[in-house]
Amino acid sequence: MMPAARFAANAEQGRRPSSGSTIARRAASALTAAMIGVAVAATSLPLPALAKGPESLADLAEKVTDAVVNISASTTVEAKSTGRSLPQLPQGTPFEDLFEEFFKRRGQQGTPRSDEDSPRSPSRKSNSLGSGFIIDASGIVVTNNHVIGDANDIQVILSDGVKLKAEIIGKDSKIDLALLRVKPTAERPLKAVPFGDSDKMRPGDWVMAIGNPFGLGGSVSAGIVSARGRNIESGPYDNYIQTDAAINKGNSGGPLFNMDGEVIGINTAILSPSGGSVGIGFAVPSGTASPVIDQLRQFGEVRRGWLGVRIQNVDDATAEALGLKGGAKGALVAGIDEKGPAKTAGLEVGDVIVKFNGVPVKSSTELPRIVAATPVGKTVDVLVVRKGEEQSKSVLLGRLEDGEKTQVANAKQPEPETVNRQILGLNLSGLSDEARRRYNIKDTVKSGVVVTKVDPNSTAADKRIQPGEVIVEVGQEAVAAPADVTKRVEALKKEGRKSVLLLVASTGGDVRFVAIGLD
Protein backbone atom coordinates (compact mmCIF):
# COMPACT_ATOMS: atom_id res chain seq x y z
CA MET A 1 0.00 0.00 0.00
CA MET A 2 1.18 3.54 -0.67
CA PRO A 3 2.88 5.14 2.34
CA ALA A 4 0.03 7.37 3.54
CA ALA A 5 -2.83 4.97 2.78
CA ARG A 6 -4.47 3.68 5.94
CA PHE A 7 -7.12 1.10 6.60
CA ALA A 8 -10.20 2.78 8.04
CA ALA A 9 -10.72 0.30 10.87
CA ASN A 10 -10.89 1.89 14.29
CA ALA A 11 -9.43 0.91 17.60
CA GLU A 12 -10.96 2.93 20.39
CA GLN A 13 -9.93 6.54 19.95
CA GLY A 14 -9.95 9.32 22.58
CA ARG A 15 -11.09 12.83 21.80
CA ARG A 16 -9.63 15.90 23.49
CA PRO A 17 -11.56 19.19 23.72
CA SER A 18 -9.95 22.18 22.11
CA SER A 19 -8.24 24.68 24.39
CA GLY A 20 -9.48 28.26 24.65
CA SER A 21 -6.50 29.57 22.67
CA THR A 22 -7.15 27.06 19.92
CA ILE A 23 -10.81 28.10 19.73
CA ALA A 24 -9.76 31.74 19.55
CA ARG A 25 -7.34 31.06 16.74
CA ARG A 26 -10.01 29.15 14.85
CA ALA A 27 -12.49 31.99 15.33
CA ALA A 28 -9.94 34.50 14.05
CA SER A 29 -9.18 32.32 11.05
CA ALA A 30 -12.88 31.95 10.31
CA LEU A 31 -13.38 35.72 10.53
CA THR A 32 -10.43 36.32 8.20
CA ALA A 33 -11.82 33.77 5.76
CA ALA A 34 -15.22 35.45 5.90
CA MET A 35 -13.69 38.87 5.20
CA ILE A 36 -11.76 37.49 2.24
CA GLY A 37 -14.95 35.90 0.98
CA VAL A 38 -16.79 39.22 1.16
CA ALA A 39 -13.99 40.98 -0.70
CA VAL A 40 -14.02 38.40 -3.47
CA ALA A 41 -17.79 38.61 -3.74
CA ALA A 42 -17.61 42.39 -4.05
CA THR A 43 -15.06 42.36 -6.83
CA SER A 44 -16.20 39.33 -8.82
CA LEU A 45 -19.27 39.91 -10.95
CA PRO A 46 -20.92 37.57 -11.41
CA LEU A 47 -19.91 34.43 -9.46
CA PRO A 48 -19.73 31.25 -11.57
CA ALA A 49 -22.50 28.71 -11.06
CA LEU A 50 -21.64 26.12 -8.42
CA ALA A 51 -22.16 22.37 -8.85
CA LYS A 52 -25.50 21.46 -7.34
CA GLY A 53 -25.96 18.17 -5.53
CA PRO A 54 -29.13 16.43 -4.36
CA GLU A 55 -31.39 18.69 -2.31
CA SER A 56 -31.51 16.08 0.46
CA LEU A 57 -30.32 12.53 1.10
CA ALA A 58 -32.58 12.07 4.10
CA ASP A 59 -35.07 9.76 2.34
CA LEU A 60 -32.25 7.64 0.92
CA ALA A 61 -30.49 7.41 4.28
CA GLU A 62 -33.73 6.47 6.03
CA LYS A 63 -34.36 3.78 3.41
CA VAL A 64 -31.04 1.94 3.89
CA THR A 65 -29.75 2.79 7.36
CA ASP A 66 -31.36 -0.23 9.08
CA ALA A 67 -29.24 -2.53 6.88
CA VAL A 68 -25.99 -0.90 7.99
CA VAL A 69 -24.43 -2.37 11.13
CA ASN A 70 -21.56 -1.78 13.50
CA ILE A 71 -19.01 -4.54 13.99
CA SER A 72 -17.34 -5.13 17.35
CA ALA A 73 -14.48 -7.63 17.20
CA SER A 74 -12.63 -8.78 20.31
CA THR A 75 -9.47 -10.83 20.44
CA THR A 76 -8.36 -12.42 23.69
CA VAL A 77 -4.81 -13.70 23.94
CA GLU A 78 -2.89 -15.02 26.90
CA ALA A 79 -0.15 -12.60 27.86
CA LYS A 80 3.28 -14.14 28.31
CA SER A 81 4.80 -13.95 31.75
CA THR A 82 7.82 -11.69 31.92
CA GLY A 83 9.49 -13.89 34.52
CA ARG A 84 10.44 -10.77 36.48
CA SER A 85 9.60 -10.26 40.15
CA LEU A 86 9.61 -7.54 42.73
CA PRO A 87 13.00 -6.39 43.92
CA GLN A 88 13.98 -8.00 47.22
CA LEU A 89 13.49 -5.17 49.71
CA PRO A 90 13.77 -5.32 53.47
CA GLN A 91 10.40 -5.99 55.09
CA GLY A 92 8.74 -2.82 56.36
CA THR A 93 10.76 -0.47 54.14
CA PRO A 94 8.81 2.74 53.30
CA PHE A 95 9.29 1.98 49.58
CA GLU A 96 7.74 -1.48 49.74
CA ASP A 97 4.16 -0.33 48.99
CA LEU A 98 5.39 2.00 46.23
CA PHE A 99 7.23 -0.78 44.37
CA GLU A 100 4.34 -3.21 44.81
CA GLU A 101 1.86 -0.75 43.28
CA PHE A 102 4.31 0.10 40.47
CA PHE A 103 4.68 -3.51 39.39
CA LYS A 104 1.01 -4.35 39.81
CA ARG A 105 0.09 -1.60 37.33
CA ARG A 106 2.30 -3.38 34.82
CA GLY A 107 0.75 -6.79 35.39
CA GLN A 108 3.64 -8.11 37.54
CA GLN A 109 3.43 -9.79 40.93
CA GLY A 110 5.81 -10.32 43.79
CA THR A 111 8.11 -13.35 43.92
CA PRO A 112 5.92 -16.39 44.60
CA ARG A 113 6.62 -18.35 47.74
CA SER A 114 5.75 -21.70 46.18
CA ASP A 115 4.61 -23.22 42.88
CA GLU A 116 1.06 -23.38 44.20
CA ASP A 117 1.11 -19.65 44.85
CA SER A 118 2.42 -18.78 41.36
CA PRO A 119 -0.04 -16.51 39.52
CA ARG A 120 -1.18 -17.55 36.06
CA SER A 121 -0.32 -15.32 33.10
CA PRO A 122 -3.13 -12.80 32.71
CA SER A 123 -5.20 -12.65 29.52
CA ARG A 124 -5.04 -9.60 27.30
CA LYS A 125 -8.04 -8.42 25.31
CA SER A 126 -8.01 -6.10 22.31
CA ASN A 127 -11.05 -4.59 20.63
CA SER A 128 -11.67 -3.09 17.22
CA LEU A 129 -14.68 -1.32 15.80
CA GLY A 130 -15.80 -1.23 12.19
CA SER A 131 -18.82 -1.29 9.95
CA GLY A 132 -20.74 -3.73 7.79
CA PHE A 133 -24.02 -4.23 6.00
CA ILE A 134 -26.65 -6.93 5.61
CA ILE A 135 -27.05 -8.44 2.13
CA ASP A 136 -29.54 -11.17 3.05
CA ALA A 137 -32.32 -10.90 5.64
CA SER A 138 -31.52 -14.46 6.74
CA GLY A 139 -28.47 -12.95 8.47
CA ILE A 140 -25.62 -12.59 5.97
CA VAL A 141 -23.33 -9.61 6.73
CA VAL A 142 -20.43 -8.20 4.69
CA THR A 143 -17.47 -6.37 6.21
CA ASN A 144 -13.70 -6.01 5.72
CA ASN A 145 -11.33 -8.81 6.64
CA HIS A 146 -9.10 -6.39 8.53
CA VAL A 147 -12.06 -5.35 10.72
CA ILE A 148 -12.41 -8.81 12.26
CA GLY A 149 -8.81 -10.01 11.87
CA ASP A 150 -8.29 -13.06 14.10
CA ALA A 151 -11.06 -12.11 16.51
CA ASN A 152 -12.60 -14.88 18.59
CA ASP A 153 -15.67 -12.86 19.58
CA ILE A 154 -17.57 -10.86 16.95
CA GLN A 155 -20.79 -8.96 17.54
CA VAL A 156 -23.00 -7.28 14.96
CA ILE A 157 -24.75 -4.23 16.39
CA LEU A 158 -27.95 -3.18 14.61
CA SER A 159 -29.04 0.41 14.12
CA ASP A 160 -31.34 0.23 17.18
CA GLY A 161 -28.57 -1.11 19.41
CA VAL A 162 -29.55 -4.81 19.34
CA LYS A 163 -26.44 -7.01 19.52
CA LEU A 164 -26.18 -10.32 17.67
CA LYS A 165 -23.31 -12.78 17.98
CA ALA A 166 -21.71 -13.48 14.60
CA GLU A 167 -19.84 -16.41 13.14
CA ILE A 168 -17.43 -16.24 10.21
CA ILE A 169 -18.57 -17.84 6.96
CA GLY A 170 -15.35 -17.04 5.12
CA LYS A 171 -12.60 -14.45 4.63
CA ASP A 172 -10.48 -13.22 1.75
CA SER A 173 -7.34 -11.25 2.60
CA LYS A 174 -6.46 -10.46 -1.03
CA ILE A 175 -9.52 -8.24 -1.54
CA ASP A 176 -9.98 -7.62 2.20
CA LEU A 177 -13.50 -9.00 2.56
CA ALA A 178 -15.20 -11.11 5.21
CA LEU A 179 -18.64 -12.70 5.33
CA LEU A 180 -20.47 -13.19 8.63
CA ARG A 181 -23.66 -14.92 9.70
CA VAL A 182 -26.02 -13.88 12.49
CA LYS A 183 -29.31 -15.38 13.65
CA PRO A 184 -32.17 -12.90 13.48
CA THR A 185 -35.02 -13.07 15.96
CA ALA A 186 -38.72 -13.04 15.23
CA GLU A 187 -39.02 -9.84 17.24
CA ARG A 188 -36.32 -8.10 15.21
CA PRO A 189 -36.32 -9.10 11.52
CA LEU A 190 -33.37 -7.91 9.48
CA LYS A 191 -33.35 -5.58 6.51
CA ALA A 192 -30.99 -6.16 3.57
CA VAL A 193 -29.62 -3.95 0.80
CA PRO A 194 -28.81 -5.06 -2.76
CA PHE A 195 -25.60 -4.67 -4.74
CA GLY A 196 -25.58 -2.26 -7.68
CA ASP A 197 -23.41 -2.16 -10.79
CA SER A 198 -20.14 -0.40 -9.95
CA ASP A 199 -19.12 -0.48 -13.62
CA LYS A 200 -21.84 2.07 -14.37
CA MET A 201 -20.46 4.60 -11.90
CA ARG A 202 -18.61 7.54 -13.41
CA PRO A 203 -16.37 10.18 -11.87
CA GLY A 204 -18.74 12.90 -10.70
CA ASP A 205 -21.62 10.58 -9.75
CA TRP A 206 -23.02 11.19 -6.27
CA VAL A 207 -22.51 8.56 -3.58
CA MET A 208 -23.38 8.19 0.10
CA ALA A 209 -21.44 6.37 2.82
CA ILE A 210 -22.85 5.11 6.12
CA GLY A 211 -20.68 3.66 8.88
CA ASN A 212 -19.26 3.75 12.37
CA PRO A 213 -16.47 6.37 12.31
CA PHE A 214 -14.46 6.56 15.55
CA GLY A 215 -17.11 4.41 17.24
CA LEU A 216 -19.77 7.10 16.96
CA GLY A 217 -22.39 4.79 15.45
CA GLY A 218 -24.39 5.22 12.27
CA SER A 219 -23.04 8.31 10.51
CA VAL A 220 -23.97 9.48 7.03
CA SER A 221 -21.60 11.28 4.67
CA ALA A 222 -21.90 12.12 1.00
CA GLY A 223 -19.69 13.02 -1.92
CA ILE A 224 -18.91 11.98 -5.45
CA VAL A 225 -16.94 9.30 -7.22
CA SER A 226 -13.54 10.93 -7.69
CA ALA A 227 -11.96 8.20 -9.83
CA ARG A 228 -12.16 4.53 -10.70
CA GLY A 229 -9.60 1.76 -11.06
CA ARG A 230 -7.24 3.10 -8.39
CA ASN A 231 -4.23 0.95 -7.47
CA ILE A 232 -3.03 1.73 -3.94
CA GLU A 233 -0.68 -1.27 -3.83
CA SER A 234 -2.54 -3.00 -1.02
CA GLY A 235 -2.87 -6.30 -2.88
CA PRO A 236 -2.68 -8.07 -6.25
CA TYR A 237 -6.21 -7.16 -7.33
CA ASP A 238 -6.42 -3.44 -6.52
CA ASN A 239 -9.21 -1.78 -8.45
CA TYR A 240 -10.63 0.75 -6.01
CA ILE A 241 -13.30 3.39 -6.38
CA GLN A 242 -11.96 6.68 -5.06
CA THR A 243 -14.45 8.97 -3.36
CA ASP A 244 -14.39 12.26 -1.47
CA ALA A 245 -17.27 11.19 0.80
CA ALA A 246 -15.91 11.43 4.35
CA ILE A 247 -14.48 8.04 5.37
CA ASN A 248 -12.68 7.72 8.69
CA LYS A 249 -11.38 5.04 11.03
CA GLY A 250 -14.33 2.81 11.82
CA ASN A 251 -15.96 3.23 8.40
CA SER A 252 -14.13 0.12 7.16
CA GLY A 253 -16.50 -2.52 5.86
CA GLY A 254 -19.39 -0.10 5.49
CA PRO A 255 -21.34 0.42 2.27
CA LEU A 256 -20.95 3.10 -0.38
CA PHE A 257 -24.37 3.67 -1.96
CA ASN A 258 -25.47 5.06 -5.29
CA MET A 259 -28.52 7.30 -5.39
CA ASP A 260 -30.80 4.27 -5.87
CA GLY A 261 -29.80 2.83 -2.50
CA GLU A 262 -27.66 0.08 -4.04
CA VAL A 263 -24.22 -0.83 -2.68
CA ILE A 264 -21.62 -0.07 -5.34
CA GLY A 265 -18.59 -0.25 -3.03
CA ILE A 266 -17.27 -1.44 0.33
CA ASN A 267 -15.34 1.32 2.12
CA THR A 268 -11.88 -0.01 2.94
CA ALA A 269 -9.04 2.51 3.12
CA ILE A 270 -8.17 6.19 3.25
CA LEU A 271 -5.23 8.25 2.09
CA SER A 272 -4.31 10.51 4.96
CA PRO A 273 -1.14 11.77 6.65
CA SER A 274 -3.10 12.38 9.86
CA GLY A 275 -5.39 9.36 10.01
CA GLY A 276 -8.51 11.47 9.48
CA SER A 277 -10.47 12.06 6.31
CA VAL A 278 -8.87 14.45 3.82
CA GLY A 279 -11.38 13.61 1.11
CA ILE A 280 -9.52 10.66 -0.43
CA GLY A 281 -11.17 7.35 0.42
CA PHE A 282 -11.17 4.00 -1.34
CA ALA A 283 -13.91 1.40 -1.73
CA VAL A 284 -13.82 -2.11 -3.20
CA PRO A 285 -16.16 -2.00 -6.23
CA SER A 286 -19.22 -4.21 -6.06
CA GLY A 287 -18.17 -5.74 -9.38
CA THR A 288 -14.99 -7.00 -7.71
CA ALA A 289 -16.61 -7.94 -4.40
CA SER A 290 -19.75 -9.76 -5.60
CA PRO A 291 -18.02 -12.83 -7.15
CA VAL A 292 -15.84 -13.18 -4.05
CA ILE A 293 -18.85 -12.97 -1.74
CA ASP A 294 -20.70 -15.57 -3.84
CA GLN A 295 -17.77 -17.98 -3.47
CA LEU A 296 -17.48 -17.34 0.25
CA ARG A 297 -21.18 -18.16 0.64
CA GLN A 298 -20.88 -21.30 -1.47
CA PHE A 299 -17.50 -22.70 -0.45
CA GLY A 300 -16.39 -20.73 2.61
CA GLU A 301 -13.28 -19.77 0.64
CA VAL A 302 -12.29 -18.14 -2.64
CA ARG A 303 -11.26 -20.30 -5.59
CA ARG A 304 -9.32 -18.21 -8.08
CA GLY A 305 -8.07 -19.11 -11.52
CA TRP A 306 -4.30 -19.55 -11.98
CA LEU A 307 -2.30 -19.09 -15.16
CA GLY A 308 1.21 -19.62 -13.80
CA VAL A 309 3.06 -16.62 -15.24
CA ARG A 310 5.04 -13.71 -13.85
CA ILE A 311 4.33 -10.52 -15.75
CA GLN A 312 5.47 -6.94 -16.11
CA ASN A 313 4.07 -3.86 -17.80
CA VAL A 314 4.83 -2.86 -21.40
CA ASP A 315 6.19 0.67 -21.92
CA ASP A 316 6.71 2.40 -25.26
CA ALA A 317 10.36 1.37 -25.59
CA THR A 318 9.52 -2.26 -24.85
CA ALA A 319 6.62 -2.19 -27.31
CA GLU A 320 8.92 -0.91 -30.06
CA ALA A 321 11.57 -3.50 -29.28
CA LEU A 322 8.97 -6.27 -29.42
CA GLY A 323 7.44 -5.00 -32.64
CA LEU A 324 4.12 -4.61 -30.88
CA LYS A 325 1.57 -2.95 -33.15
CA GLY A 326 -0.65 -0.31 -31.60
CA GLY A 327 1.85 0.84 -28.97
CA ALA A 328 2.20 -0.13 -25.33
CA LYS A 329 -0.45 -2.61 -24.20
CA GLY A 330 -0.89 -6.03 -22.70
CA ALA A 331 1.10 -7.95 -20.09
CA LEU A 332 4.64 -9.07 -20.86
CA VAL A 333 5.45 -12.59 -19.66
CA ALA A 334 8.70 -12.36 -17.68
CA GLY A 335 8.58 -15.81 -16.12
CA ILE A 336 6.65 -19.07 -16.34
CA ASP A 337 5.97 -21.62 -13.61
CA GLU A 338 7.39 -24.92 -14.79
CA LYS A 339 4.37 -26.75 -13.38
CA GLY A 340 1.74 -24.17 -14.32
CA PRO A 341 -1.03 -24.13 -16.96
CA ALA A 342 0.80 -21.57 -19.13
CA LYS A 343 3.79 -23.89 -19.55
CA THR A 344 1.56 -26.77 -20.62
CA ALA A 345 -0.28 -24.52 -23.09
CA GLY A 346 2.95 -23.39 -24.76
CA LEU A 347 3.26 -19.81 -23.54
CA GLU A 348 6.84 -18.51 -23.51
CA VAL A 349 8.85 -15.82 -21.76
CA GLY A 350 8.65 -12.73 -23.98
CA ASP A 351 5.06 -13.32 -25.06
CA VAL A 352 2.76 -10.33 -24.63
CA ILE A 353 -0.73 -11.32 -23.50
CA VAL A 354 -3.14 -8.92 -25.19
CA LYS A 355 -6.43 -10.78 -24.71
CA PHE A 356 -7.59 -13.33 -22.14
CA ASN A 357 -10.84 -15.26 -22.50
CA GLY A 358 -12.06 -12.66 -24.97
CA VAL A 359 -11.29 -9.73 -22.66
CA PRO A 360 -8.69 -7.20 -23.91
CA VAL A 361 -5.72 -6.80 -21.56
CA LYS A 362 -4.75 -3.12 -21.55
CA SER A 363 -2.00 -3.37 -18.93
CA SER A 364 -0.28 -5.87 -16.67
CA THR A 365 -2.35 -4.74 -13.67
CA GLU A 366 -5.56 -5.93 -15.35
CA LEU A 367 -4.49 -9.50 -16.11
CA PRO A 368 -4.36 -10.85 -12.52
CA ARG A 369 -7.92 -9.62 -11.87
CA ILE A 370 -9.23 -11.14 -15.10
CA VAL A 371 -7.54 -14.49 -14.48
CA ALA A 372 -8.58 -14.64 -10.83
CA ALA A 373 -12.23 -14.03 -11.73
CA THR A 374 -12.22 -16.90 -14.26
CA PRO A 375 -13.53 -20.25 -12.96
CA VAL A 376 -10.96 -22.89 -12.03
CA GLY A 377 -10.83 -25.71 -14.58
CA LYS A 378 -12.16 -23.62 -17.45
CA THR A 379 -10.40 -23.78 -20.82
CA VAL A 380 -9.83 -20.29 -22.19
CA ASP A 381 -8.25 -18.75 -25.27
CA VAL A 382 -5.24 -16.54 -24.65
CA LEU A 383 -4.10 -14.24 -27.45
CA VAL A 384 -0.39 -13.43 -27.33
CA VAL A 385 2.01 -11.46 -29.50
CA ARG A 386 5.23 -13.40 -30.11
CA LYS A 387 7.98 -11.77 -32.15
CA GLY A 388 5.50 -9.40 -33.71
CA GLU A 389 2.92 -12.03 -34.65
CA GLU A 390 -0.34 -12.85 -32.92
CA GLN A 391 -0.86 -16.42 -31.74
CA SER A 392 -3.79 -17.99 -29.88
CA LYS A 393 -3.18 -20.49 -27.10
CA SER A 394 -5.74 -22.67 -25.34
CA VAL A 395 -5.16 -22.82 -21.58
CA LEU A 396 -6.80 -25.03 -18.96
CA LEU A 397 -6.80 -22.84 -15.85
CA GLY A 398 -5.54 -24.21 -12.58
CA ARG A 399 -6.34 -23.02 -9.07
CA LEU A 400 -4.31 -20.34 -7.32
CA GLU A 401 -2.97 -21.59 -4.03
CA ASP A 402 -1.47 -19.39 -1.34
CA GLY A 403 2.24 -19.87 -0.82
CA GLU A 404 2.88 -21.45 -4.22
CA LYS A 405 6.49 -21.20 -5.22
CA THR A 406 8.23 -22.18 -8.39
CA GLN A 407 10.44 -25.25 -8.02
CA VAL A 408 13.40 -25.16 -10.35
CA ALA A 409 15.74 -28.13 -10.59
CA ASN A 410 19.46 -27.43 -10.45
CA ALA A 411 21.46 -28.38 -13.52
CA LYS A 412 25.18 -28.21 -14.17
CA GLN A 413 26.00 -26.05 -17.19
CA PRO A 414 29.13 -26.32 -19.34
CA GLU A 415 31.86 -23.79 -18.54
CA PRO A 416 31.30 -20.70 -20.76
CA GLU A 417 33.89 -18.42 -22.26
CA THR A 418 35.23 -15.69 -19.98
CA VAL A 419 36.33 -13.18 -22.62
CA ASN A 420 35.18 -9.65 -21.74
CA ARG A 421 33.35 -7.49 -24.26
CA GLN A 422 31.80 -4.03 -24.07
CA ILE A 423 28.50 -3.05 -25.70
CA LEU A 424 25.45 -0.95 -24.81
CA GLY A 425 27.46 0.66 -22.01
CA LEU A 426 27.99 -2.75 -20.41
CA ASN A 427 31.10 -4.84 -19.76
CA LEU A 428 30.16 -8.47 -20.24
CA SER A 429 31.70 -11.79 -19.26
CA GLY A 430 30.75 -15.44 -19.45
CA LEU A 431 28.76 -17.08 -16.65
CA SER A 432 31.66 -19.02 -15.14
CA ASP A 433 31.93 -20.65 -11.71
CA GLU A 434 34.23 -17.81 -10.68
CA ALA A 435 31.62 -15.24 -11.74
CA ARG A 436 28.94 -17.12 -9.80
CA ARG A 437 31.09 -17.05 -6.65
CA ARG A 438 32.08 -13.40 -7.11
CA TYR A 439 28.53 -12.10 -7.55
CA ASN A 440 26.74 -14.81 -5.57
CA ILE A 441 24.66 -15.83 -8.58
CA LYS A 442 22.28 -18.64 -7.71
CA ASP A 443 22.05 -21.91 -9.62
CA THR A 444 18.52 -21.02 -10.70
CA VAL A 445 20.18 -18.74 -13.28
CA LYS A 446 21.02 -21.46 -15.80
CA SER A 447 22.75 -19.54 -18.55
CA GLY A 448 23.48 -16.10 -19.92
CA VAL A 449 26.11 -13.37 -19.88
CA VAL A 450 27.27 -11.62 -16.71
CA VAL A 451 27.35 -7.82 -16.44
CA THR A 452 30.68 -6.92 -14.80
CA LYS A 453 30.57 -3.11 -15.18
CA VAL A 454 28.00 -0.46 -16.16
CA ASP A 455 28.85 2.91 -17.71
CA PRO A 456 27.22 5.44 -15.36
CA ASN A 457 26.35 7.70 -18.33
CA SER A 458 24.63 4.95 -20.31
CA THR A 459 20.97 4.11 -20.83
CA ALA A 460 21.68 0.78 -19.14
CA ALA A 461 22.58 2.66 -15.96
CA ASP A 462 19.37 4.70 -16.24
CA LYS A 463 17.47 1.41 -16.47
CA ARG A 464 19.21 0.25 -13.26
CA ILE A 465 21.12 -2.68 -14.68
CA GLN A 466 23.67 -3.68 -12.04
CA PRO A 467 26.99 -5.57 -12.06
CA GLY A 468 26.32 -9.21 -11.26
CA GLU A 469 23.06 -9.34 -13.17
CA VAL A 470 22.86 -11.78 -16.05
CA ILE A 471 21.61 -11.06 -19.58
CA VAL A 472 19.62 -14.14 -20.56
CA GLU A 473 18.15 -12.99 -23.88
CA VAL A 474 18.81 -10.24 -26.42
CA GLY A 475 15.99 -9.43 -28.81
CA GLN A 476 14.12 -12.55 -27.59
CA GLU A 477 17.01 -14.86 -28.46
CA ALA A 478 19.00 -16.69 -25.82
CA VAL A 479 22.66 -15.72 -25.35
CA ALA A 480 25.39 -17.80 -23.72
CA ALA A 481 28.52 -15.74 -24.43
CA PRO A 482 29.46 -12.04 -24.80
CA ALA A 483 29.95 -12.58 -28.53
CA ASP A 484 26.30 -13.66 -28.82
CA VAL A 485 25.21 -10.30 -27.41
CA THR A 486 27.33 -8.34 -29.88
CA LYS A 487 26.14 -10.41 -32.81
CA ARG A 488 22.46 -10.06 -31.89
CA VAL A 489 22.69 -6.29 -31.31
CA GLU A 490 24.36 -5.75 -34.69
CA ALA A 491 21.66 -7.82 -36.40
CA LEU A 492 18.91 -5.72 -34.83
CA LYS A 493 20.61 -2.52 -35.94
CA LYS A 494 20.67 -3.81 -39.53
CA GLU A 495 16.93 -4.52 -39.25
CA GLY A 496 16.40 -0.84 -38.43
CA ARG A 497 15.40 -1.38 -34.83
CA LYS A 498 15.64 1.67 -32.58
CA SER A 499 15.86 -0.30 -29.36
CA VAL A 500 16.80 -3.75 -28.12
CA LEU A 501 14.95 -5.79 -25.52
CA LEU A 502 17.08 -7.52 -22.92
CA LEU A 503 15.88 -10.24 -20.57
CA VAL A 504 17.88 -9.63 -17.40
CA ALA A 505 18.11 -11.96 -14.40
CA SER A 506 19.02 -10.79 -10.92
CA THR A 507 21.59 -12.71 -8.88
CA GLY A 508 18.67 -14.41 -7.14
CA GLY A 509 17.08 -15.55 -10.40
CA ASP A 510 14.22 -13.05 -10.80
CA VAL A 511 13.97 -11.84 -14.39
CA ARG A 512 12.70 -8.67 -16.01
CA PHE A 513 12.69 -7.12 -19.47
CA VAL A 514 14.69 -3.95 -20.13
CA ALA A 515 14.51 -1.95 -23.37
CA ILE A 516 17.67 -0.02 -24.34
CA GLY A 517 17.99 2.40 -27.27
CA LEU A 518 20.35 1.55 -30.14
CA ASP A 519 21.46 5.11 -30.89
Side-chain angles (χ1 to χ4, degrees):
M1 180 179 293
M2 60 177 64
R6 303 171 183 263
F7 286 121
N10 175 49
E12 295 181 6
Q13 301 285 330
R15 291 177 293 278
R16 183 183 303 170
S18 300
S19 65
S21 59
T22 301
I23 295 173
R25 285 196 300 271
R26 289 178 177 172
S29 298
L31 179 59
T32 302
M35 292 173 65
I36 293 174
V38 171
V40 171
T43 56
S44 302
L45 297 173
L47 279 172
L50 299 176
K52 184 179 180 181
E55 290 186 4
S56 175
L57 296 177
D59 290 341
L60 177 59
E62 185 178 4
K63 172 184 174 182
V64 300
T65 192
D66 285 344
V68 183
V69 300
N70 298 339
I71 306 289
S72 175
S74 301
T75 306
T76 304
V77 296
E78 198 168 291
K80 294 182 179 179
S81 176
T82 62
R84 291 180 292 180
S85 60
L86 279 170
Q88 298 302 307
L89 300 172
Q91 188 172 4
T93 176
F95 297 103
E96 186 175 325
D97 292 339
L98 174 64
F99 273 87
E100 185 176 358
E101 180 62 23
F102 176 83
F103 280 91
K104 279 183 178 179
R105 286 201 302 267
R106 284 151 180 79
Q108 301 177 32
Q109 304 292 333
T111 305
R113 296 183 180 181
S114 68
D115 290 340
E116 288 78 11
D117 294 333
S118 299
R120 294 184 178 181
S121 298
S123 295
R124 180 169 52 85
K125 190 173 184 179
S126 62
N127 299 307
S128 66
L129 299 174
S131 306
F133 57 99
I134 302 167
I135 60 169
D136 190 315
S138 66
I140 307 300
V141 179
V142 174
T143 187
N144 279 143
N145 178 56
H146 77 264
V147 168
I148 62 171
D150 296 321
N152 41 35
D153 182 24
I154 304 171
Q155 289 196 337
V156 169
I157 307 170
L158 305 181
S159 58
D160 58 2
V162 172
K163 296 181 178 180
L164 301 174
K165 188 174 180 59
E167 62 174 344
I168 300 172
I169 298 175
K171 303 189 294 184
D172 179 38
S173 60
K174 289 184 171 67
I175 295 185
D176 195 9
L177 292 178
L179 201 62
L180 310 176
R181 178 183 286 112
V182 297
K183 293 182 179 179
T185 62
E187 298 78 18
R188 181 58 168 87
L190 302 179
K191 182 176 181 179
V193 286
F195 279 111
D197 188 349
S198 57
D199 291 339
K200 291 182 179 180
M201 301 302 293
R202 300 179 300 164
D205 282 343
W206 285 93
V207 288
M208 181 181 71
I210 303 180
N212 182 27
F214 298 106
L216 291 171
S219 295
V220 180
S221 59
I224 61 170
V225 172
S226 302
R228 288 180 48 191
R230 288 298 198 208
N231 181 357
I232 62 174
E233 299 180 5
S234 66
Y237 310 116
D238 280 14
N239 182 33
Y240 289 100
I241 294 173
Q242 179 185 329
T243 178
D244 66 353
I247 296 174
N248 286 287
K249 291 181 178 181
N251 274 110
S252 275
L256 188 68
F257 291 103
N258 61 18
M259 293 297 100
D260 293 324
E262 299 169 328
V263 179
I264 51 84
I266 296 110
N267 300 320
T268 299
I270 58 175
L271 180 64
S272 172
S274 63
S277 175
V278 295
I280 302 179
F282 302 100
V284 178
S286 59
T288 300
S290 293
V292 172
I293 291 169
D294 289 343
Q295 289 196 33
L296 291 177
R297 292 187 73 170
Q298 185 176 357
F299 307 116
E301 63 181 359
V302 182
R303 301 178 180 181
R304 291 186 169 92
W306 178 53
L307 185 58
V309 296
R310 190 166 62 83
I311 57 175
Q312 69 180 67
N313 213 24
V314 179
D315 56 22
D316 291 333
T318 303
E320 196 281 330
L322 288 169
L324 195 62
K325 298 176 183 178
K329 62 180 178 180
L332 177 59
V333 178
I336 295 182
D337 192 312
E338 291 296 321
K339 298 180 181 179
K343 181 72 173 181
T344 304
L347 270 71
E348 298 178 359
V349 172
D351 287 346
V352 179
I353 299 174
V354 294
K355 187 176 290 187
F356 183 91
N357 196 28
V359 180
V361 179
K362 298 177 182 178
S363 68
S364 61
T365 57
E366 292 186 355
L367 183 62
R369 295 197 299 268
I370 299 171
V371 174
T374 306
V376 176
K378 181 178 181 178
T379 300
V380 299
D381 290 329
V382 180
L383 185 65
V384 303
V385 176
R386 180 179 299 172
K387 297 183 178 179
E389 300 295 329
E390 289 187 349
Q391 297 185 22
S392 182
K393 302 291 182 181
S394 182
V395 182
L396 176 63
L397 282 191
R399 179 181 172 184
L400 180 66
E401 298 286 350
D402 290 336
E404 276 183 322
K405 295 183 179 179
T406 304
Q407 300 294 326
V408 182
N410 294 331
K412 181 69 176 178
Q413 297 294 321
E415 189 74 7
E417 65 162 307
T418 58
V419 177
N420 280 278
R421 291 175 182 263
Q422 187 176 41
I423 191 170
L424 302 174
L426 303 170
N427 283 26
L428 306 174
S429 177
L431 184 56
S432 62
D433 287 341
E434 192 279 329
R436 286 184 182 275
R437 287 191 296 271
R438 179 182 177 186
Y439 296 107
N440 196 25
I441 301 171
K442 292 187 177 180
D443 291 339
T444 51
V445 182
K446 302 300 181 184
S447 62
V449 179
V450 182
V451 177
T452 59
K453 186 177 180 181
V454 182
D455 183 346
N457 298 317
S458 66
T459 304
D462 294 338
K463 296 297 180 73
R464 299 182 181 179
I465 295 179
Q466 303 289 330
E469 292 189 312
V470 178
I471 298 175
V472 180
E473 291 182 2
V474 178
Q476 296 187 281
E477 288 189 7
V479 292
D484 296 340
V485 178
T486 303
K487 182 178 179 180
R488 183 62 179 144
V489 169
E490 293 301 324
L492 291 171
K493 286 182 178 179
K494 289 180 180 179
E495 292 176 10
R497 294 290 183 90
K498 296 180 180 179
S499 58
V500 57
L501 191 67
L502 307 180
L503 180 61
V504 181
S506 68
T507 57
D510 294 329
V511 296
R512 72 186 192 280
F513 283 97
V514 179
I516 296 180
L518 292 176
D519 296 337

